[in-house]
Amino acid sequence: MADPVEPLAADVLDVVVKAYDIRGIYPSELGPTSARGLGYAFGIWSGASCVVVGRDMRPSGVEMAGAFADGAMAAGADVIDIGLASTDLLYFASGHLDMPGAMLTASHNPAEYNGIKLCGAGATPVGVDSGLAEIAAIATRGELEPAGAGERRQRDLLDAFVTHVHSFVDAGRLAPLRVVADTANGMGGYVLPAVFADLPFDCEVLYGELDGTFPNHPADPIQPENLIDLQKRVLATGADVGLAFDGDADRVFLVDEAGRAVSGSLLTALVARTMLRRSGPGPILHNLICSRAVGEVIAEAGGQPVRTRVGHSYIKSEMARTGAVFGGEHSGHYYFADNYRADSGLIAALIALEQLSEAAVPLSELLAPFDRYASSGEINTRVADPGAVIRRVAAHYGELPQDRLDGLTVDGGDWWFNLRPSNTEPLLRLNLEAADASAVEQRVSEIRALLA
């Protein structure tokens, strides 16, 4: 019988349990004791006889994954330990093995963080509204007596994952493109070489060494400063495309042949059109901060655009409800029905490379039909009372159409914006789109005055 599981304090979990996952500074906020308690709670909540566990390259990963597995075994579950993994590899394992899964990662967060992403059997989403709150509640109980003593065994699923990723493209249509991939010392350095090994690309990997201290730059490609090295290398080598992955390699951003960053909306539009050509008419999901062009492209390709809230648990649930074959987020997450509705930057990247191969034109030319509007990017503003500020902004634009699907979205006709609160900080996140850059600047200034 396993040792008793120490209950966790509710105020400790309040700090680390987010809307979609668990994340905190190691070990002061999230350490092995918390990992063991949450592993136990996950085992009890899922009721599964076996769970799959993976981890990223952070220095604390081995200890944290071991503690989580120990907790799950104390709940009576066996553990399949797949070792080092990208998050999309863990989701594949959960779907392939049809068992709940846990990925020990803090994604793009700095080195001092670690975290846990959970999913149900078949890679079904687990967020605050779909089980995470219940798991946290179980972990705080005072009677965490071991329910059994499961067993832990190792399993390597990388080759199976590679085969799965390859199934989304026709390798015979791929051209010998020159690709530069910046994996930022994250898990892309583990999975990308395996996926690209038998493909015709000339691929150079920047910062491919696994190093959870991120010695070169943060593993957060949505921040423009973290793309600089990739942009320089693409230009220096005359590459056809650059790929930038985050720390756990589930997100990807592209850089075109001229060294310009490609927004997640443009890649969403390209992949959406591709998936509709393959599957025929049907719903395609995009979150509400994607460019208006995404919905237009989906409709033009014969699909039905469906707006969703921001966040993987909402997208995955909507995919199940609507039967959508694909969903995309402006933040670089891309979801595929045939990937257990889970997201994979590698799959999206391969589809983009296949389309680029077939088009035989530069990436900028391939994407030009989707680049229809100017965008502000995401602008974060710290405010004391986000709810009060949103109400004030809504009242100011009271004569314009509005919705509250996720924060506040206002439709000004030839411009629109979304203002939504952060899930973890007293911040408001503004995304605005208009016909051109000058209109964006004018409207952003107008809204910033209201925020102040």
Side-chain angles (χ1 to χ4, degrees), residues 288-352:
L288 51 71
I289 62 171
C290 279
S291 169
R292 183 175 282 172
V294 174
E296 295 171 353
V297 170
I298 292 168
E300 291 161 7
Q304 294 87 52
V306 179
R307 290 171 71 243
T308 76
R309 295 178 63 180
V310 172
H312 76 94
S313 60
Y314 305 117
I315 293 253
K316 292 172 184 175
S317 297
E318 277 296 286
M319 288 187 77
R321 186 185 70 82
T322 62
V325 296
F326 172 69
E329 292 197 90
H330 187 71
S331 58
H333 289 280
Y334 310 98
Y335 306 80
F336 300 88
D338 290 339
N339 188 46
Y340 311 101
R341 304 190 190 96
D343 47 320
S344 173
L346 272 169
I347 293 173
L350 271 193
I351 290 173

Side-chain angles (χ1 to χ4, degrees), residues 27-78:
S28 60
E29 294 177 346
L30 185 66
T33 298
S34 295
R36 186 170 189 264
L38 288 162
Y40 174 88
F42 183 59
I44 294 295
W45 173 82
S46 68
S49 60
C50 193
V51 302
V52 57
V53 176
R55 60 178 174 85
D56 71 13
M57 66 293 134
R58 292 169 187 268
S60 58
V62 172
E63 180 183 29
M64 291 288 285
F68 186 94
D70 187 59
M73 291 187 291
D78 289 337

Side-chain angles (χ1 to χ4, degrees), residues 116-292:
I116 311 169
K117 293 183 177 181
L118 301 172
C119 61
T124 55
V126 174
V128 163
D129 297 330
S130 51
L132 189 52
E134 297 169 38
I135 292 166
I138 293 171
T140 63
R141 293 177 186 167
E143 66 277 2
L144 303 185
E145 286 300 320
E151 296 181 354
R152 181 180 181 183
R153 56 188 183 274
Q154 310 291 320
R155 185 161 179 183
D156 185 350
L157 289 175
L158 182 59
D159 288 346
F161 175 65
V162 169
T163 300
H164 172 69
V165 172
H166 285 177
S167 72
F168 285 82
V169 298
D170 182 348
R173 296 182 177 181
L174 300 177
L177 301 171
R178 187 158 195 171
V179 181
V180 180
D182 184 345
T183 60
N185 300 108
M187 290 311 303
Y190 177 71
V191 294
L192 184 139
V195 169
F196 277 36
D198 295 324
L199 301 179
F201 307 127
D202 176 7
C203 184
E204 175 185 357
V205 179
L206 297 181
Y207 312 135
E209 305 83 7
L210 303 185
D211 187 341
T213 68
F214 306 113
N216 293 290
H217 63 73
D220 187 5
I222 203 169
Q223 304 301 330
E225 62 269 22
N226 296 328
L227 296 177
I228 292 172
D229 291 353
L230 177 62
Q231 292 167 317
K232 289 179 177 178
R233 192 61 185 163
V234 166
L235 292 173
T237 61
D240 296 293
V241 61
L243 309 176
F245 292 88
D246 67 346
D248 60 337
D250 59 351
R251 286 191 297 152
V252 70
F253 284 89
L254 271 56
V255 168
D256 72 15
E257 79 288 346
R260 293 172 299 217
V262 173
S263 80
S265 287
L266 294 189
L267 184 52
T268 293
L270 176 65
V271 177
R273 188 182 70 175
T274 304
M275 299 305 290
L276 284 167
R277 287 175 174 175
R278 295 176 179 178
S279 66
I284 299 288
L285 275 53
H286 62 95
N287 74 13
L288 51 71
I289 62 171
C290 279
S291 169
R292 183 175 282 172

